[in-house]
Amino acid sequence: MKTVHISKVQALTLGISSITVTGHLLFIPVVLNHAGRDCWIALAAAAAPALFVGYMVASFSKLYPNQSLVEYVRSIAGRWVGTALACVFLFYFFHDAALSIRGFGEFFTAAITPRTPILVYFAAIVVLAGYAVRGGLEVLARTNVLFLSIMIPIGLLASMLTHKEKDYANFLPILERGAEPVLMGALNLIALYSSFLVLGMVFPNVAEPAKLRKWSVVTMGILLVMFIGPVTGPVAVFGGERSMGLSFPTYQMLRDIQISGLQRLDILAIFLWSLGSFSKISLYLYAVTVGVAKLLRLDDYRFLVAPTGALLVIFSLMLGDSFMDIYSFLQNVYPFYAALVGLVLPAGLLLFAQLRRWTKKERRAAG
């Protein structure tokens, strides 16, 4: 496979786009349902693990330069165990992509065009993503930077326009329901931030990898700050109780608010999530197809894009009969599954790799 180099900024902004859109569409309502008015405490509790995820993913790239996640997992764990773990990680990316496709379709059919078959949205976003993936990583990276330069101002504008409607007294009393709901909300956020692991498939293509570890941690810090408004905004506007019952709280907040002559601010959310969903699904489709190609020692991943995209559409339909099934899975199962695969397993691999490296150094020093 021909190596394509992108800048560290381009690589890290891929992570920003993918985590942001998934968080807005799927995770904020789950966090609010758990933590309610204490959602800001859940976000603070998730900060340290999130920063560690950024450090961990970049540390692998420093230890194993020019190797993707699929390759260095086999270097660390051996051929057979490493291959099994690589398949687990690739399924994790595949599953996350399917969840994003399903969330995109559910949002549009529930909130925008309820008479349109959801399969139309699945097919449309996957075809567009597949076309971009076939263009290569550089195309994905450049397109994402362009989209992110549009999405960030839209997000800031939406936050400013809704500021006057917010009442921060809605966050009182603190910890009224105890610590357990906050911990579950934090676990959901940790699961969300663990998806940063997908950049392990991108970092080998970074032109200047020397400072990746520092900037990966900075990127996770930026992501934490970017979620303060979206997580706390619905509680500040609607109150703790009402915000816990909303399927798409950010969209509801923008749809209900009218400022002076401005109406239908929800168009900002629609535009934001459409661009973000495209970036997220494209990145994960790229990660899965490239990963499979490396496992099978194929020279080109492009011919895998179409069949993988078709499987994603089918799997998205199989995830559940309704959005409530998806919501129940995200609330009760996904936090444990994603934290295990995206945080605990990689952390164990990193510890093992470091211990083996230190042992080799001691042997050399002793010899």
Side-chain angles (χ1 to χ4, degrees):
M1 256 180 280
K2 183 181 177 181
T3 302
V4 177
H5 290 298
I6 60 175
S7 71
K8 62 178 179 292
V9 172
Q10 288 175 325
L12 293 170
T13 52
L14 285 167
I16 290 175
S17 297
S18 63
I19 291 176
T20 302
V21 67
T22 306
H24 280 201
L25 270 177
L26 299 175
F27 280 86
I28 287 177
V30 176
V31 172
L32 290 175
N33 194 59
H34 278 301
R37 61 172 58 93
D38 295 319
C39 56
W40 63 275
I41 304 177
L43 183 61
L51 294 173
F52 174 73
V53 169
Y55 174 87
M56 175 180 66
V57 177
S59 293
F60 278 122
S61 295
K62 186 174 182 179
L63 288 173
Y64 301 94
N66 303 318
Q67 290 190 31
S68 68
L69 172 67
V70 167
E71 293 167 309
Y72 59 66
V73 165
R74 298 180 76 183
S75 298
I76 296 169
R79 181 180 177 185
W80 298 109
V81 176
T83 299
L85 288 174
C87 290
V88 169
F89 291 130
L90 289 178
F91 176 76
Y92 170 54
F93 300 150
F94 181 87
H95 192 196
D96 256 28
L99 283 170
S100 297
I101 293 167
R102 184 62 181 263
F104 175 78
E106 291 287 354
F107 168 69
F108 272 88
T109 53
I112 312 298
T113 55
R115 295 184 180 181
T116 303
I118 197 170
L119 188 59
V120 172
Y121 291 107
F122 289 179
I125 195 70
V126 170
V127 168
L128 290 173
Y131 181 77
V133 170
R134 284 183 61 86
L137 181 59
E138 188 175 7
V139 171
L140 292 183
R142 290 180 180 273
T143 304
N144 180 71
V145 170
L146 175 63
F147 285 174
L148 196 63
S149 67
I150 299 171
M151 290 189 288
I152 289 177
I154 289 176
L156 292 173
L157 177 63
S159 180
M160 288 188 292
L161 290 175
T162 57
H163 179 71
K164 291 184 179 180
E165 304 294 327
K166 295 177 181 178
D167 181 3
Y168 292 97
N170 289 336
F171 293 98
L172 300 174
I174 297 173
L175 294 176
E176 182 182 26
R177 297 186 298 141
E180 183 179 349
V182 175
L183 293 176
M184 282 303 301
L187 185 60
N188 274 274
L189 287 166
I190 291 168
L192 169 65
Y193 287 119
S194 295
S195 63
F196 195 78
L197 182 68
V198 74
L199 291 189
M201 297 301 300
V202 174
F203 280 169
N205 301 96
V206 173
E208 301 173 357
K211 297 182 179 179
L212 266 179
R213 191 152 61 182
K214 169 188 173 182
W215 288 106
S216 292
V217 174
V218 170
T219 299
M220 295 305 287
I222 292 171
L223 279 165
L224 287 164
V225 172
M226 288 177 69
F227 270 86
I228 294 174
V231 167
T232 62
V235 175
V237 173
F238 299 122
E241 297 300 325
R242 187 184 171 195
S243 64
M244 292 172 70
L246 299 175
S247 298
F248 303 104
T250 307
Y251 173 77
Q252 187 75 37
M253 183 173 64
L254 291 171
R255 189 181 68 177
D256 289 355
I257 291 174
Q258 297 183 8
I259 301 175
S260 300
L262 294 175
Q263 297 182 4
R264 298 307 305 263
L265 296 179
D266 52 319
I267 192 66
L268 297 177
I270 295 169
F271 192 58
L272 180 74
W273 291 337
S274 297
L275 295 179
S277 294
F278 168 80
S279 295
K280 165 72 180 281
I281 295 163
S282 299
L283 172 62
Y284 278 69
L285 180 56
Y286 170 84
V288 171
T289 52
V290 170
V292 171
K294 287 185 179 295
L295 278 180
L296 299 178
R297 301 183 184 278
L298 303 176
D299 293 330
D300 194 356
Y301 71 91
R302 287 176 176 82
F303 77 93
L304 296 172
V305 173
T308 305
L311 287 174
L312 278 172
V313 171
I314 295 169
F315 192 66
S316 299
L317 289 169
M318 295 170 59
L319 287 174
D321 295 330
S322 67
F323 182 67
M324 292 309 298
D325 293 334
I326 308 299
Y327 186 82
S328 177
F329 172 77
L330 289 171
Q331 185 169 345
N332 301 312
V333 179
Y334 185 84
F336 302 98
Y337 148 69
L340 173 65
V341 179
L343 176 59
V344 177
L345 282 180
L349 286 169
L350 180 60
L351 177 61
F352 183 74
Q354 291 281 19
L355 288 174
R356 190 164 66 178
R357 188 183 182 193
W358 292 333
T359 302
K360 286 182 179 179
K361 283 185 177 180
E362 289 179 359
R363 287 176 180 173
R364 288 172 185 171

